[in-house]
Amino acid sequence: MRTFFIELYRSLCGLAFRIRSLPGRSHPRSADRARSGGDRGQTTAEYALVLLAAATLALLLVAWAAQSGKIGTLFDTVFDHVIDKVT
């Protein structure tokens, strides 16, 4: 089974290479990529790290709020204000 997946991967990689090398299929920014020296990959990694840090902080905040019971208090306050505005 493992051999099957390896051969499938090789076939797909070869197909992707053949499609990319067809005439008129070059990426319009390929020259820009060559000049940039790989900075685009670094920027992508930096964005990924920032998103990971933001997600970690959000999870910590949600865990703290769930343990302390602040979420229930927040919802009660919001609903009370909405009901007061409607009536």
Side-chain angles (χ1 to χ4, degrees):
M1 188 66 136
R2 182 177 177 193
T3 307
F4 169 74
F5 286 115
I6 291 172
E7 289 303 317
L8 179 64
Y9 175 76
R10 285 182 181 168
S11 299
L12 291 174
C13 287
L15 179 65
F17 178 75
R18 279 183 256 139
I19 289 173
R20 242 183 302 155
S21 61
L22 288 174
R25 295 287 301 188
S26 64
H27 198 277
R29 291 183 285 183
S30 58
D32 292 340
R33 287 185 189 159
R35 279 183 256 144
S36 69
D39 289 342
R40 294 178 63 138
Q42 180 179 356
T43 303
T44 303
E46 289 169 356
Y47 282 130
L49 288 174
V50 168
L51 289 175
L52 183 63
T56 303
L57 288 175
L59 286 174
L60 289 173
L61 180 65
V62 167
W64 170 79
Q67 283 182 344
S68 65
K70 298 290 184 184
I71 292 177
T73 306
L74 174 67
F75 283 138
D76 289 340
T77 305
V78 169
F79 286 135
D80 288 341
H81 285 297
V82 170
I83 290 172
D84 288 342
K85 296 286 183 183
V86 172
T87 57

